[in-house]
Amino acid sequence: MEKLALVAQALSDYDYVRFYEPKDLDVALLKTLHEAHYVEAFLTGEPRKLATIQGFKPWNVKLRDAVLAVNAGQLQAAELAFEHGLAANIAQGFHHATPDFGCAYCTFNGLALIAQQFPDKRIFVLDCDQHGGNGTAEFVLKLPNLYNFSIYGQAFGCASYERAETRYIHPTQGNFHDYQQAIHEGFAAAQAWGADLIIYQAGMDCHQDDPHGSAWFSTDLIEQREQLVFRLGKNSQIPLLFVLAGGYQKLEKLIPLHVRTFEIAQAIYYPHE
């Protein structure tokens, strides 16, 4: 969580970045998305075991308010993406959170929240976190306007359903050619489905220096991934929202990787500004 403020601080030096404060989040939305007793536990801190089931310990008000702001930012960023064609939330998508409860440091699934809030829009998630978006995959069974396409390299994968596809790229035996192919397949699926919004989980935990990373995934290849995603996104003419997703190496190395995503998005979508 601490990387989010540092990424925002780094981006404050860029004239082309416009910041928005998240609006207040109606917690009733969370209680229709997730089991109400889990939501209430996280909001109040009691019972403590359920409030911290996703792994954030100890529970505290500051963490609670940060999580609510993250999810409020998801909805606001989606609105901005529909309006402008491109937007970002400087936060994670919390893609491991299932309908029943949080999991693996993911509290409320902000990707599914967007689908719930915009039921007349088809929401396609291109998840490039190193860990499969298992929670989002479960939400496709609940939300008919949600599609999850997860490209991952760690065993923490996700189930495959109709509108929930997976592409596993091995962390040592895989290669970038296969990864590129998976991205192309993801965009093809989004277009064939008639997606109204693509949410790109721009995970950095696949980087070779990350504790969870793939040995072959260098900084240069990360940049090529971002260039490919944003080029395909722009060419598709489907509004695109991106979020930061995972990344666990030392902050001094991690923050530039996340900032580079914004730089590449700007260069491709607005090359003359």
Side-chain angles (χ1 to χ4, degrees), residues 120-153:
D120 59 335
K121 301 289 188 181
R122 293 190 170 201
I123 308 301
F124 186 96
V125 177
L126 178 68
D127 194 332
C128 290
D129 192 283
Q130 182 73 338
H131 306 87
N134 65 300
T136 315
E138 297 304 318
F139 269 106
V140 307
L141 303 177
K142 181 178 180 180
L143 299 166
N145 65 322
L146 179 64
Y147 197 126
N148 189 57
F149 194 99
S150 189
I151 307 171
Y152 63 91

PDB file of all heavy atoms in Angstrom, residues 120-153:
ATOM      1  N   ASP A 120     -24.998  -1.748 -17.271  1.00  0.00           N
ATOM      2  CA  ASP A 120     -25.303  -1.674 -18.704  1.00  0.00           C
ATOM      3  C   ASP A 120     -24.042  -1.610 -19.552  1.00  0.00           C
ATOM      4  O   ASP A 120     -24.124  -1.465 -20.777  1.00  0.00           O
ATOM      5  CB  ASP A 120     -26.183  -0.456 -18.994  1.00  0.00           C
ATOM      6  CG  ASP A 120     -25.530   0.848 -18.580  1.00  0.00           C
ATOM      7  OD1 ASP A 120     -24.664   0.829 -17.670  1.00  0.00           O
ATOM      8  OD2 ASP A 120     -25.867   1.907 -19.153  1.00  0.00           O
ATOM      9  N   LYS A 121     -22.868  -1.712 -18.928  1.00  0.00           N
ATOM     10  CA  LYS A 121     -21.597  -1.692 -19.637  1.00  0.00           C
ATOM     11  C   LYS A 121     -20.896  -3.038 -19.502  1.00  0.00           C
ATOM     12  O   LYS A 121     -20.939  -3.661 -18.435  1.00  0.00           O
ATOM     13  CB  LYS A 121     -20.678  -0.593 -19.075  1.00  0.00           C
ATOM     14  CG  LYS A 121     -21.249   0.817 -19.146  1.00  0.00           C
ATOM     15  CD  LYS A 121     -21.308   1.333 -20.569  1.00  0.00           C
ATOM     16  CE  LYS A 121     -21.701   2.813 -20.593  1.00  0.00           C
ATOM     17  NZ  LYS A 121     -21.797   3.330 -21.979  1.00  0.00           N
ATOM     18  N   ARG A 122     -20.247  -3.460 -20.567  1.00  0.00           N
ATOM     19  CA  ARG A 122     -19.475  -4.695 -20.529  1.00  0.00           C
ATOM     20  C   ARG A 122     -18.042  -4.375 -20.094  1.00  0.00           C
ATOM     21  O   ARG A 122     -17.328  -3.651 -20.794  1.00  0.00           O
ATOM     22  CB  ARG A 122     -19.486  -5.382 -21.894  1.00  0.00           C
ATOM     23  CG  ARG A 122     -20.866  -5.910 -22.289  1.00  0.00           C
ATOM     24  CD  ARG A 122     -20.795  -6.784 -23.525  1.00  0.00           C
ATOM     25  NE  ARG A 122     -22.067  -7.460 -23.754  1.00  0.00           N
ATOM     26  CZ  ARG A 122     -22.212  -8.562 -24.480  1.00  0.00           C
ATOM     27  NH1 ARG A 122     -21.160  -9.098 -25.083  1.00  0.00           N
ATOM     28  NH2 ARG A 122     -23.399  -9.120 -24.625  1.00  0.00           N
ATOM     29  N   ILE A 123     -17.664  -4.924 -18.941  1.00  0.00           N
ATOM     30  CA  ILE A 123     -16.376  -4.601 -18.325  1.00  0.00           C
ATOM     31  C   ILE A 123     -15.418  -5.779 -18.519  1.00  0.00           C
ATOM     32  O   ILE A 123     -15.662  -6.889 -18.032  1.00  0.00           O
ATOM     33  CB  ILE A 123     -16.548  -4.301 -16.824  1.00  0.00           C
ATOM     34  CG1 ILE A 123     -17.646  -3.249 -16.593  1.00  0.00           C
ATOM     35  CG2 ILE A 123     -15.216  -3.863 -16.228  1.00  0.00           C
ATOM     36  CD1 ILE A 123     -17.401  -1.921 -17.287  1.00  0.00           C
ATOM     37  N   PHE A 124     -14.332  -5.529 -19.237  1.00  0.00           N
ATOM     38  CA  PHE A 124     -13.340  -6.564 -19.555  1.00  0.00           C
ATOM     39  C   PHE A 124     -12.061  -6.279 -18.776  1.00  0.00           C
ATOM     40  O   PHE A 124     -11.488  -5.193 -18.872  1.00  0.00           O
ATOM     41  CB  PHE A 124     -13.041  -6.561 -21.053  1.00  0.00           C
ATOM     42  CG  PHE A 124     -12.145  -7.682 -21.519  1.00  0.00           C
ATOM     43  CD1 PHE A 124     -12.687  -8.841 -22.047  1.00  0.00           C
ATOM     44  CD2 PHE A 124     -10.765  -7.576 -21.442  1.00  0.00           C
ATOM     45  CE1 PHE A 124     -11.872  -9.884 -22.478  1.00  0.00           C
ATOM     46  CE2 PHE A 124      -9.940  -8.600 -21.864  1.00  0.00           C
ATOM     47  CZ  PHE A 124     -10.490  -9.759 -22.388  1.00  0.00           C
ATOM     48  N   VAL A 125     -11.620  -7.258 -17.996  1.00  0.00           N
ATOM     49  CA  VAL A 125     -10.394  -7.109 -17.202  1.00  0.00           C
ATOM     50  C   VAL A 125      -9.259  -7.858 -17.879  1.00  0.00           C
ATOM     51  O   VAL A 125      -9.331  -9.090 -18.065  1.00  0.00           O
ATOM     52  CB  VAL A 125     -10.594  -7.640 -15.769  1.00  0.00           C
ATOM     53  CG1 VAL A 125      -9.279  -7.535 -14.986  1.00  0.00           C
ATOM     54  CG2 VAL A 125     -11.707  -6.873 -15.062  1.00  0.00           C
ATOM     55  N   LEU A 126      -8.217  -7.126 -18.272  1.00  0.00           N
ATOM     56  CA  LEU A 126      -6.974  -7.724 -18.763  1.00  0.00           C
ATOM     57  C   LEU A 126      -5.992  -7.698 -17.595  1.00  0.00           C
ATOM     58  O   LEU A 126      -5.423  -6.658 -17.277  1.00  0.00           O
ATOM     59  CB  LEU A 126      -6.423  -6.948 -19.957  1.00  0.00           C
ATOM     60  CG  LEU A 126      -5.101  -7.472 -20.521  1.00  0.00           C
ATOM     61  CD1 LEU A 126      -5.289  -8.831 -21.185  1.00  0.00           C
ATOM     62  CD2 LEU A 126      -4.496  -6.480 -21.511  1.00  0.00           C
ATOM     63  N   ASP A 127      -5.824  -8.822 -16.963  1.00  0.00           N
ATOM     64  CA  ASP A 127      -5.068  -8.892 -15.713  1.00  0.00           C
ATOM     65  C   ASP A 127      -3.662  -9.406 -15.988  1.00  0.00           C
ATOM     66  O   ASP A 127      -3.470 -10.588 -16.288  1.00  0.00           O
ATOM     67  CB  ASP A 127      -5.800  -9.809 -14.740  1.00  0.00           C
ATOM     68  CG  ASP A 127      -5.277  -9.691 -13.317  1.00  0.00           C
ATOM     69  OD1 ASP A 127      -4.092  -9.356 -13.148  1.00  0.00           O
ATOM     70  OD2 ASP A 127      -6.056  -9.944 -12.380  1.00  0.00           O
ATOM     71  N   CYS A 128      -2.670  -8.508 -15.867  1.00  0.00           N
ATOM     72  CA  CYS A 128      -1.276  -8.882 -16.103  1.00  0.00           C
ATOM     73  C   CYS A 128      -0.473  -8.877 -14.810  1.00  0.00           C
ATOM     74  O   CYS A 128       0.741  -8.618 -14.822  1.00  0.00           O
ATOM     75  CB  CYS A 128      -0.652  -7.956 -17.147  1.00  0.00           C
ATOM     76  SG  CYS A 128      -1.291  -8.221 -18.812  1.00  0.00           S
ATOM     77  N   ASP A 129      -1.139  -9.133 -13.716  1.00  0.00           N
ATOM     78  CA  ASP A 129      -0.456  -9.392 -12.458  1.00  0.00           C
ATOM     79  C   ASP A 129       0.197 -10.771 -12.539  1.00  0.00           C
ATOM     80  O   ASP A 129      -0.294 -11.653 -13.247  1.00  0.00           O
ATOM     81  CB  ASP A 129      -1.478  -9.347 -11.320  1.00  0.00           C
ATOM     82  CG  ASP A 129      -0.849  -9.324  -9.943  1.00  0.00           C
ATOM     83  OD1 ASP A 129      -0.406 -10.398  -9.492  1.00  0.00           O
ATOM     84  OD2 ASP A 129      -0.817  -8.259  -9.308  1.00  0.00           O
ATOM     85  N   GLN A 130       1.291 -10.962 -11.815  1.00  0.00           N
ATOM     86  CA  GLN A 130       1.969 -12.260 -11.842  1.00  0.00           C
ATOM     87  C   GLN A 130       1.115 -13.368 -11.218  1.00  0.00           C
ATOM     88  O   GLN A 130       1.314 -14.545 -11.501  1.00  0.00           O
ATOM     89  CB  GLN A 130       3.321 -12.161 -11.109  1.00  0.00           C
ATOM     90  CG  GLN A 130       4.158 -13.415 -11.107  1.00  0.00           C
ATOM     91  CD  GLN A 130       4.809 -13.725 -12.454  1.00  0.00           C
ATOM     92  OE1 GLN A 130       4.368 -13.267 -13.502  1.00  0.00           O
ATOM     93  NE2 GLN A 130       5.892 -14.504 -12.431  1.00  0.00           N
ATOM     94  N   HIS A 131       0.143 -12.972 -10.402  1.00  0.00           N
ATOM     95  CA  HIS A 131      -0.752 -13.931  -9.762  1.00  0.00           C
ATOM     96  C   HIS A 131      -2.125 -13.832 -10.413  1.00  0.00           C
ATOM     97  O   HIS A 131      -2.649 -12.744 -10.621  1.00  0.00           O
ATOM     98  CB  HIS A 131      -0.870 -13.637  -8.263  1.00  0.00           C
ATOM     99  CG  HIS A 131       0.451 -13.577  -7.567  1.00  0.00           C
ATOM    100  ND1 HIS A 131       1.194 -12.415  -7.485  1.00  0.00           N
ATOM    101  CD2 HIS A 131       1.170 -14.543  -6.942  1.00  0.00           C
ATOM    102  CE1 HIS A 131       2.316 -12.665  -6.817  1.00  0.00           C
ATOM    103  NE2 HIS A 131       2.325 -13.950  -6.482  1.00  0.00           N
ATOM    104  N   GLY A 132      -2.704 -14.974 -10.723  1.00  0.00           N
ATOM    105  CA  GLY A 132      -3.996 -14.973 -11.394  1.00  0.00           C
ATOM    106  C   GLY A 132      -5.093 -14.325 -10.568  1.00  0.00           C
ATOM    107  O   GLY A 132      -5.111 -14.421  -9.347  1.00  0.00           O
ATOM    108  N   GLY A 133      -6.005 -13.660 -11.252  1.00  0.00           N
ATOM    109  CA  GLY A 133      -7.093 -12.948 -10.592  1.00  0.00           C
ATOM    110  C   GLY A 133      -8.228 -13.872 -10.203  1.00  0.00           C
ATOM    111  O   GLY A 133      -9.331 -13.829 -10.775  1.00  0.00           O
ATOM    112  N   ASN A 134      -7.996 -14.699  -9.211  1.00  0.00           N
ATOM    113  CA  ASN A 134      -8.979 -15.715  -8.835  1.00  0.00           C
ATOM    114  C   ASN A 134     -10.286 -15.113  -8.339  1.00  0.00           C
ATOM    115  O   ASN A 134     -11.375 -15.629  -8.608  1.00  0.00           O
ATOM    116  CB  ASN A 134      -8.398 -16.644  -7.771  1.00  0.00           C
ATOM    117  CG  ASN A 134      -8.121 -15.916  -6.458  1.00  0.00           C
ATOM    118  OD1 ASN A 134      -7.340 -14.963  -6.433  1.00  0.00           O
ATOM    119  ND2 ASN A 134      -8.753 -16.349  -5.387  1.00  0.00           N
ATOM    120  N   GLY A 135     -10.210 -14.008  -7.596  1.00  0.00           N
ATOM    121  CA  GLY A 135     -11.425 -13.392  -7.086  1.00  0.00           C
ATOM    122  C   GLY A 135     -12.288 -12.837  -8.196  1.00  0.00           C
ATOM    123  O   GLY A 135     -13.511 -13.047  -8.212  1.00  0.00           O
ATOM    124  N   THR A 136     -11.679 -12.159  -9.137  1.00  0.00           N
ATOM    125  CA  THR A 136     -12.423 -11.608 -10.268  1.00  0.00           C
ATOM    126  C   THR A 136     -13.063 -12.726 -11.079  1.00  0.00           C
ATOM    127  O   THR A 136     -14.196 -12.591 -11.563  1.00  0.00           O
ATOM    128  CB  THR A 136     -11.508 -10.762 -11.160  1.00  0.00           C
ATOM    129  OG1 THR A 136     -10.695  -9.908 -10.351  1.00  0.00           O
ATOM    130  CG2 THR A 136     -12.328  -9.914 -12.110  1.00  0.00           C
ATOM    131  N   ALA A 137     -12.345 -13.839 -11.224  1.00  0.00           N
ATOM    132  CA  ALA A 137     -12.900 -14.981 -11.955  1.00  0.00           C
ATOM    133  C   ALA A 137     -14.179 -15.474 -11.296  1.00  0.00           C
ATOM    134  O   ALA A 137     -15.149 -15.820 -11.985  1.00  0.00           O
ATOM    135  CB  ALA A 137     -11.872 -16.104 -12.030  1.00  0.00           C
ATOM    136  N   GLU A 138     -14.208 -15.500  -9.968  1.00  0.00           N
ATOM    137  CA  GLU A 138     -15.419 -15.944  -9.279  1.00  0.00           C
ATOM    138  C   GLU A 138     -16.566 -14.951  -9.465  1.00  0.00           C
ATOM    139  O   GLU A 138     -17.737 -15.335  -9.508  1.00  0.00           O
ATOM    140  CB  GLU A 138     -15.138 -16.152  -7.787  1.00  0.00           C
ATOM    141  CG  GLU A 138     -14.120 -17.233  -7.487  1.00  0.00           C
ATOM    142  CD  GLU A 138     -14.494 -18.577  -8.090  1.00  0.00           C
ATOM    143  OE1 GLU A 138     -15.679 -18.960  -8.035  1.00  0.00           O
ATOM    144  OE2 GLU A 138     -13.588 -19.252  -8.644  1.00  0.00           O
ATOM    145  N   PHE A 139     -16.244 -13.686  -9.613  1.00  0.00           N
ATOM    146  CA  PHE A 139     -17.285 -12.676  -9.769  1.00  0.00           C
ATOM    147  C   PHE A 139     -17.981 -12.755 -11.124  1.00  0.00           C
ATOM    148  O   PHE A 139     -19.090 -12.251 -11.266  1.00  0.00           O
ATOM    149  CB  PHE A 139     -16.708 -11.274  -9.559  1.00  0.00           C
ATOM    150  CG  PHE A 139     -16.783 -10.807  -8.134  1.00  0.00           C
ATOM    151  CD1 PHE A 139     -15.649 -10.766  -7.339  1.00  0.00           C
ATOM    152  CD2 PHE A 139     -17.984 -10.396  -7.582  1.00  0.00           C
ATOM    153  CE1 PHE A 139     -15.704 -10.336  -6.031  1.00  0.00           C
ATOM    154  CE2 PHE A 139     -18.064  -9.961  -6.273  1.00  0.00           C
ATOM    155  CZ  PHE A 139     -16.919  -9.929  -5.489  1.00  0.00           C
ATOM    156  N   VAL A 140     -17.354 -13.369 -12.125  1.00  0.00           N
ATOM    157  CA  VAL A 140     -18.050 -13.476 -13.416  1.00  0.00           C
ATOM    158  C   VAL A 140     -19.295 -14.353 -13.293  1.00  0.00           C
ATOM    159  O   VAL A 140     -20.229 -14.232 -14.093  1.00  0.00           O
ATOM    160  CB  VAL A 140     -17.130 -14.008 -14.546  1.00  0.00           C
ATOM    161  CG1 VAL A 140     -15.856 -13.194 -14.656  1.00  0.00           C
ATOM    162  CG2 VAL A 140     -16.828 -15.492 -14.377  1.00  0.00           C
ATOM    163  N   LEU A 141     -19.318 -15.225 -12.281  1.00  0.00           N
ATOM    164  CA  LEU A 141     -20.489 -16.061 -12.054  1.00  0.00           C
ATOM    165  C   LEU A 141     -21.642 -15.250 -11.458  1.00  0.00           C
ATOM    166  O   LEU A 141     -22.796 -15.678 -11.511  1.00  0.00           O
ATOM    167  CB  LEU A 141     -20.136 -17.216 -11.116  1.00  0.00           C
ATOM    168  CG  LEU A 141     -18.987 -18.126 -11.569  1.00  0.00           C
ATOM    169  CD1 LEU A 141     -18.694 -19.184 -10.517  1.00  0.00           C
ATOM    170  CD2 LEU A 141     -19.301 -18.772 -12.908  1.00  0.00           C
ATOM    171  N   LYS A 142     -21.309 -14.100 -10.899  1.00  0.00           N
ATOM    172  CA  LYS A 142     -22.301 -13.244 -10.245  1.00  0.00           C
ATOM    173  C   LYS A 142     -22.693 -12.063 -11.116  1.00  0.00           C
ATOM    174  O   LYS A 142     -23.824 -11.572 -11.025  1.00  0.00           O
ATOM    175  CB  LYS A 142     -21.711 -12.746  -8.911  1.00  0.00           C
ATOM    176  CG  LYS A 142     -22.619 -11.869  -8.084  1.00  0.00           C
ATOM    177  CD  LYS A 142     -21.934 -11.490  -6.774  1.00  0.00           C
ATOM    178  CE  LYS A 142     -22.831 -10.591  -5.919  1.00  0.00           C
ATOM    179  NZ  LYS A 142     -22.166 -10.216  -4.642  1.00  0.00           N
ATOM    180  N   LEU A 143     -21.766 -11.609 -11.963  1.00  0.00           N
ATOM    181  CA  LEU A 143     -21.978 -10.396 -12.752  1.00  0.00           C
ATOM    182  C   LEU A 143     -21.886 -10.741 -14.242  1.00  0.00           C
ATOM    183  O   LEU A 143     -20.798 -10.972 -14.765  1.00  0.00           O
ATOM    184  CB  LEU A 143     -20.931  -9.338 -12.389  1.00  0.00           C
ATOM    185  CG  LEU A 143     -20.952  -8.874 -10.921  1.00  0.00           C
ATOM    186  CD1 LEU A 143     -19.678  -8.106 -10.586  1.00  0.00           C
ATOM    187  CD2 LEU A 143     -22.180  -8.013 -10.657  1.00  0.00           C
ATOM    188  N   PRO A 144     -22.994 -10.757 -14.955  1.00  0.00           N
ATOM    189  CA  PRO A 144     -22.982 -11.163 -16.369  1.00  0.00           C
ATOM    190  C   PRO A 144     -22.293 -10.177 -17.296  1.00  0.00           C
ATOM    191  O   PRO A 144     -22.011 -10.527 -18.446  1.00  0.00           O
ATOM    192  CB  PRO A 144     -24.477 -11.287 -16.709  1.00  0.00           C
ATOM    193  CG  PRO A 144     -25.167 -10.406 -15.721  1.00  0.00           C
ATOM    194  CD  PRO A 144     -24.360 -10.484 -14.470  1.00  0.00           C
ATOM    195  N   ASN A 145     -21.996  -8.970 -16.818  1.00  0.00           N
ATOM    196  CA  ASN A 145     -21.326  -7.968 -17.649  1.00  0.00           C
ATOM    197  C   ASN A 145     -19.828  -7.886 -17.351  1.00  0.00           C
ATOM    198  O   ASN A 145     -19.175  -6.906 -17.721  1.00  0.00           O
ATOM    199  CB  ASN A 145     -21.971  -6.594 -17.453  1.00  0.00           C
ATOM    200  CG  ASN A 145     -21.778  -6.054 -16.035  1.00  0.00           C
ATOM    201  OD1 ASN A 145     -21.830  -6.822 -15.062  1.00  0.00           O
ATOM    202  ND2 ASN A 145     -21.581  -4.758 -15.904  1.00  0.00           N
ATOM    203  N   LEU A 146     -19.266  -8.908 -16.702  1.00  0.00           N
ATOM    204  CA  LEU A 146     -17.847  -8.928 -16.335  1.00  0.00           C
ATOM    205  C   LEU A 146     -17.146 -10.065 -17.051  1.00  0.00           C
ATOM    206  O   LEU A 146     -17.662 -11.195 -17.113  1.00  0.00           O
ATOM    207  CB  LEU A 146     -17.701  -9.089 -14.823  1.00  0.00           C
ATOM    208  CG  LEU A 146     -16.279  -9.157 -14.260  1.00  0.00           C
ATOM    209  CD1 LEU A 146     -15.519  -7.858 -14.503  1.00  0.00           C
ATOM    210  CD2 LEU A 146     -16.313  -9.479 -12.766  1.00  0.00           C
ATOM    211  N   TYR A 147     -15.944  -9.781 -17.578  1.00  0.00           N
ATOM    212  CA  TYR A 147     -15.112 -10.771 -18.276  1.00  0.00           C
ATOM    213  C   TYR A 147     -13.703 -10.648 -17.714  1.00  0.00           C
ATOM    214  O   TYR A 147     -13.146  -9.553 -17.656  1.00  0.00           O
ATOM    215  CB  TYR A 147     -15.115 -10.465 -19.772  1.00  0.00           C
ATOM    216  CG  TYR A 147     -14.655 -11.565 -20.709  1.00  0.00           C
ATOM    217  CD1 TYR A 147     -15.470 -11.982 -21.758  1.00  0.00           C
ATOM    218  CD2 TYR A 147     -13.397 -12.164 -20.600  1.00  0.00           C
ATOM    219  CE1 TYR A 147     -15.065 -12.968 -22.646  1.00  0.00           C
ATOM    220  CE2 TYR A 147     -12.986 -13.144 -21.485  1.00  0.00           C
ATOM    221  CZ  TYR A 147     -13.822 -13.545 -22.509  1.00  0.00           C
ATOM    222  OH  TYR A 147     -13.421 -14.524 -23.388  1.00  0.00           O
ATOM    223  N   ASN A 148     -13.127 -11.766 -17.280  1.00  0.00           N
ATOM    224  CA  ASN A 148     -11.788 -11.750 -16.703  1.00  0.00           C
ATOM    225  C   ASN A 148     -10.830 -12.537 -17.590  1.00  0.00           C
ATOM    226  O   ASN A 148     -11.068 -13.709 -17.892  1.00  0.00           O
ATOM    227  CB  ASN A 148     -11.809 -12.362 -15.296  1.00  0.00           C
ATOM    228  CG  ASN A 148     -10.495 -12.167 -14.568  1.00  0.00           C
ATOM    229  OD1 ASN A 148     -10.039 -11.043 -14.387  1.00  0.00           O
ATOM    230  ND2 ASN A 148      -9.890 -13.249 -14.120  1.00  0.00           N
ATOM    231  N   PHE A 149      -9.741 -11.885 -18.014  1.00  0.00           N
ATOM    232  CA  PHE A 149      -8.714 -12.523 -18.835  1.00  0.00           C
ATOM    233  C   PHE A 149      -7.390 -12.348 -18.100  1.00  0.00           C
ATOM    234  O   PHE A 149      -6.832 -11.251 -18.053  1.00  0.00           O
ATOM    235  CB  PHE A 149      -8.660 -11.871 -20.218  1.00  0.00           C
ATOM    236  CG  PHE A 149      -7.873 -12.658 -21.240  1.00  0.00           C
ATOM    237  CD1 PHE A 149      -8.521 -13.472 -22.159  1.00  0.00           C
ATOM    238  CD2 PHE A 149      -6.490 -12.596 -21.281  1.00  0.00           C
ATOM    239  CE1 PHE A 149      -7.812 -14.194 -23.102  1.00  0.00           C
ATOM    240  CE2 PHE A 149      -5.762 -13.311 -22.213  1.00  0.00           C
ATOM    241  CZ  PHE A 149      -6.425 -14.115 -23.135  1.00  0.00           C
ATOM    242  N   SER A 150      -6.894 -13.423 -17.508  1.00  0.00           N
ATOM    243  CA  SER A 150      -5.762 -13.347 -16.591  1.00  0.00           C
ATOM    244  C   SER A 150      -4.527 -14.013 -17.186  1.00  0.00           C
ATOM    245  O   SER A 150      -4.554 -15.190 -17.547  1.00  0.00           O
ATOM    246  CB  SER A 150      -6.141 -14.022 -15.265  1.00  0.00           C
ATOM    247  OG  SER A 150      -5.167 -13.791 -14.280  1.00  0.00           O
ATOM    248  N   ILE A 151      -3.436 -13.241 -17.275  1.00  0.00           N
ATOM    249  CA  ILE A 151      -2.153 -13.752 -17.760  1.00  0.00           C
ATOM    250  C   ILE A 151      -1.205 -13.772 -16.561  1.00  0.00           C
ATOM    251  O   ILE A 151      -0.872 -12.716 -16.019  1.00  0.00           O
ATOM    252  CB  ILE A 151      -1.573 -12.853 -18.867  1.00  0.00           C
ATOM    253  CG1 ILE A 151      -2.599 -12.641 -19.987  1.00  0.00           C
ATOM    254  CG2 ILE A 151      -0.286 -13.449 -19.419  1.00  0.00           C
ATOM    255  CD1 ILE A 151      -2.185 -11.586 -21.004  1.00  0.00           C
ATOM    256  N   TYR A 152      -0.784 -14.945 -16.137  1.00  0.00           N
ATOM    257  CA  TYR A 152      -0.028 -15.019 -14.887  1.00  0.00           C
ATOM    258  C   TYR A 152       1.101 -16.033 -14.977  1.00  0.00           C
ATOM    259  O   TYR A 152       1.145 -16.861 -15.884  1.00  0.00           O
ATOM    260  CB  TYR A 152      -0.960 -15.361 -13.719  1.00  0.00           C
ATOM    261  CG  TYR A 152      -1.631 -16.706 -13.803  1.00  0.00           C
ATOM    262  CD1 TYR A 152      -1.040 -17.835 -13.245  1.00  0.00           C
ATOM    263  CD2 TYR A 152      -2.858 -16.860 -14.433  1.00  0.00           C
ATOM    264  CE1 TYR A 152      -1.647 -19.079 -13.312  1.00  0.00           C
ATOM    265  CE2 TYR A 152      -3.478 -18.097 -14.505  1.00  0.00           C
ATOM    266  CZ  TYR A 152      -2.871 -19.204 -13.943  1.00  0.00           C
ATOM    267  OH  TYR A 152      -3.475 -20.433 -14.019  1.00  0.00           O
ATOM    268  N   GLY A 153       2.003 -15.970 -13.987  1.00  0.00           N
ATOM    269  CA  GLY A 153       3.150 -16.865 -13.985  1.00  0.00           C
ATOM    270  C   GLY A 153       3.363 -17.590 -12.684  1.00  0.00           C
ATOM    271  O   GLY A 153       4.325 -18.339 -12.545  1.00  0.00           O
TER     272      GLY A 153
END
